[in-house]
């Protein structure tokens, strides 16, 4: 939940006066997004989401995020569309923060993903990759393989307090990934954080994607590896091959995966699980217990990483390329 | 901010199926109310507020709260109206909590009340008192004078850690209030918590009152005393007589105050400020710092209590009854 900054009515009315949305009727802080403050705003012209960008988001990245959403929405991908003010400056300022107004997406994220959800997510991810292919801007992924060692170093020796022997286990895994990380796979804009709370469904169909604030340029299929980690494990820690198969099939049906991409997927999934293990571990160690932020257990991603280390090929995810030998 | 309980989409859809509101489109936890979890729910039939009653609210009180809102709305007071399900049971259950669906009120609470807001609030409070006069149910005020000593006792000797000498100061004030609390003033249903965040304004006019979960039967003008404390002090701690006058005039214009009520107002305001001092002090001492609840500084109400102790008559609040001698 996240409303870090409150907004005065008069300031919001002044902010909205740049838009053709009619007069302000109400606004309420909502529990959505962890990096920014979000408000549901109702005006005579409709319902919108107002986002105030907090400190954790680099202002220099905002044109990339705003531009990407405009680019994707123009190509028919269902995502929050920055509303155009009369002066054309979609990025404004409110309560001392950069701020933007977005269209409101109906739909709900699913707390209990099933295989059909995973198939839809795979398909939507491939669609996102296809539609962002001609997006002109780029943004480096600070949380890709090159960023993990500094993050690990920042955890110091504290890792062993979270789980016995964790320090050595991460060190070995990190060394393996750094030595073997692929450099020749297709790259493009990835979402990089497509967890269940960032995907809306309505009447059984995927209705939209939100929260593009980790989007960046990286290996496309790494995005699929992240989704395998985020969607296809059960609460008891077991990987669900039915979901894994559905997700990879969904992706492959919309953007066919090459043999090289499929072969790399287990290693990329090791990387994806290590990335979330490291960020959670870092937060676990550095965020004081008195903070409002709910800290997520890093060990969930240690278990996922261990699973992916044991995967020999995408067959272990339940996937088999059509026409390939069993 | 408050979303203590998350809700599964399927459970919410089942809950809503009892209502004629069409299919569920979206729902978002909102930062409103401190006792309960609230969601803004959009369906094909409109926009609603869903409230899940958390532990701090006694289930036995819910029929009073729901009934009061129905009673007031039927008499034209703008407040959340419980939506009627087909089976007539406005109080349902969701995610293991009692839950109810309410109409959505447009409007915004004012972060910076001016004298005109105070006048409108006084008028709306008198209107609430008039319209609840024939409400058949009643609910005792656990936080009126008889409830303060147990609350104070619950704070133990910790008060002095908050402010030097606070323990003795409260003891003396409490003894004075217990000895002099009036017993012959008009009583009825009061809101008992009409702070700025519970009053909505739209286009410069008061558009609605919310959060009736402290409503109870008590001395009517005690409600006005609470509002004087909640609305008429500046951030620097000074009482603003222009606001005080506007609020009392607003109330008196809609429900004329008797001489006895006016004479009692300074004592009732001492009581109101002590009540919020004590509840804040209790929370300050008992709620762990690691909690999600933002603790409010009790000393704000110590200062307000001291101010009211120095008040000789309502003239010190800026008010003079029409026709009365100066």
């Amino acid at each position: 939940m996240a409303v870090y900054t409150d907004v005065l009515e008069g300031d919001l009315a002044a902010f909205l006066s740049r838009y053709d949305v009619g007069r302000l009727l109400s606004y309420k802080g909502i529990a959505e997004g962890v990096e920014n403050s979000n408000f549901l705003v109702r005006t005579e012209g409709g319902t919108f989401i107002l986002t105030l960008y907090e400190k954790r988001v680099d202002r220099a990245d905002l044109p990339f995020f705003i531009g990407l959403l405009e680019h994707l929405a123009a190509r028919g991908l269902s995502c929050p569309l920055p509303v155009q003010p009369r002066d054309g400056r979609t990025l404004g300022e409110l309560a001392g923060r950069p701020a933007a107004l977005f269209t409101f997406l109906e739909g709900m994220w699913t707390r209990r993903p099933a295989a059909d959800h995973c198939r839809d997510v795979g398909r939507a991810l491939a669609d996102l990759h296809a539609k962002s292919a001609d997006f002109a801007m780029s943004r480096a992924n600070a949380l890709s393989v090159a960023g993990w060692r500094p993050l690990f170093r920042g955890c110091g020796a504290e890792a062993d307090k979270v789980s016995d022997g964790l320090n050595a286990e991460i060190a070995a895994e990190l060394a393996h990934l750094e030595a073997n990380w692929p450099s020749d796979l297709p790259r493009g804009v990835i979402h990089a954080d497509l967890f269940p709370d960032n995907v809306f469904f309505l009447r059984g169909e995927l209705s939209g994607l939100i929260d593009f604030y980790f989007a960046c340029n990286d290996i496309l299929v790494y995005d699929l590896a992240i989704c395998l980690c985020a969607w296809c494990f059960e609460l008891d820690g077991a990987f669900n091959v039915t979901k894994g198969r559905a997700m990879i099939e969904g992706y492959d049906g919309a953007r066919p995966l090459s043999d090289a991409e499929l072969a790399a997927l287990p290693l990329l999934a090791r990387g994806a699980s290590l990335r979330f293990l490291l960020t959670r571990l870092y937060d676990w160690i550095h965020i004081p217990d008195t903070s409002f932020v709910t800290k997520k257990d890093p060990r969930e991603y240690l278990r996922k990483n261990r699973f992916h280390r044991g995967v020999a090929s995408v067959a272990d995810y339940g996937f088999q390329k059509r026409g390939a030998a069993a």
Side-chain angles (χ1 to χ4, degrees), chain A residues 8-321:
Chain A
L8 298 179
E9 175 197 344
D11 293 349
L12 178 53
F15 178 86
L16 293 176
S17 69
R18 299 190 300 120
Y19 296 85
D20 289 320
V21 295
R23 281 180 296 184
L24 176 61
L25 297 178
S26 62
Y27 64 106
K28 305 202 183 291
I30 59 172
E32 205 152 274
V34 291
E35 304 288 319
N36 302 310
S37 295
N38 289 292
F39 294 84
L40 195 145
V41 173
R42 288 166 59 89
T43 75
E44 292 167 336
T47 299
F48 304 92
I49 295 288
L50 168 73
T51 299
L52 268 61
Y53 297 96
E54 301 291 344
K55 283 178 210 153
R56 279 178 73 154
V57 173
D58 186 345
R59 289 187 182 215
D61 286 335
L62 294 176
F64 174 87
F65 297 137
I66 301 273
L68 178 61
L69 290 168
E70 287 175 336
H71 179 97
L72 292 172
R75 278 151 189 80
L77 190 125
S78 180
C79 62
L81 173 64
V83 180
Q84 284 294 325
R86 282 185 300 280
D87 61 13
R89 291 172 41 250
T90 41
L91 195 61
E93 185 151 320
L94 183 56
R97 270 103 181 135
L101 191 71
F102 295 93
T103 54
F104 180 86
L105 283 192
E106 301 286 7
M108 288 140 295
W109 67 270
T110 178
R111 276 75 172 166
R112 292 180 177 166
D116 281 348
H117 296 112
C118 294
R119 184 177 305 274
D120 289 348
V121 168
R123 194 181 297 123
L125 193 70
D127 192 37
L128 164 63
H129 293 167
K131 285 176 171 152
S132 61
D134 60 339
F135 181 55
M137 302 172 78
S138 72
R139 177 177 178 262
N141 186 4
L143 292 172
S144 196
V145 63
W148 300 338
R149 187 163 291 279
L151 203 53
F152 181 43
R153 218 175 273 131
C155 297
E158 298 287 299
D160 283 351
K161 291 188 189 164
V162 173
S163 178
D164 219 33
L166 183 56
N167 214 45
E169 192 168 346
I170 292 176
E173 178 66 355
L174 184 52
H176 178 82
L177 292 170
E178 286 172 339
N180 295 284
W181 200 249
S183 60
D184 52 356
L185 295 176
R187 299 174 62 88
V189 175
I190 68 168
H191 184 286
D193 195 42
L194 202 59
F195 278 64
D197 55 341
N198 290 332
V199 181
F200 289 171
F201 292 88
L202 191 58
R203 291 166 203 147
E205 302 205 345
L206 192 150
S207 64
L209 310 180
I210 65 164
D211 207 348
F212 284 70
Y213 300 109
F214 285 97
C216 55
N217 290 68
D218 206 334
I219 296 167
L220 292 178
V221 73
Y222 176 61
D223 223 3
L224 182 58
I226 291 172
C227 287
L228 286 175
C229 292
W231 290 79
C232 301
F233 286 86
E234 300 303 305
L235 289 177
D236 67 3
F239 186 86
N240 182 320
V241 290
T242 308
K243 293 180 182 176
R245 178 188 311 122
M247 178 168 281
I248 302 173
E249 282 180 358
Y251 188 100
D252 183 63
R255 179 184 167 270
L257 290 158
S258 69
D259 289 345
E261 285 179 307
L262 286 168
L265 198 50
L267 185 92
L268 294 170
R270 287 171 66 167
S273 48
L274 185 71
R275 170 252 183 268
F276 289 101
L277 166 58
L278 284 171
T279 48
R280 288 188 175 192
L281 183 65
Y282 187 90
D283 287 349
W284 195 266
I285 291 167
H286 290 97
I287 294 179
D289 286 332
T290 52
S291 161
F292 278 104
V293 177
T294 309
K295 297 196 284 189
K296 294 172 182 163
D297 190 345
R299 289 168 299 185
E300 176 189 343
Y301 275 83
L302 174 60
R303 287 187 292 268
K304 289 178 177 179
N305 177 260
R306 284 175 179 165
F307 167 79
H308 290 302
R309 270 188 262 160
V311 165
S313 79
V314 287
D316 291 347
Y317 296 137
F319 183 77
Q320 199 184 316
K321 190 81 175 176

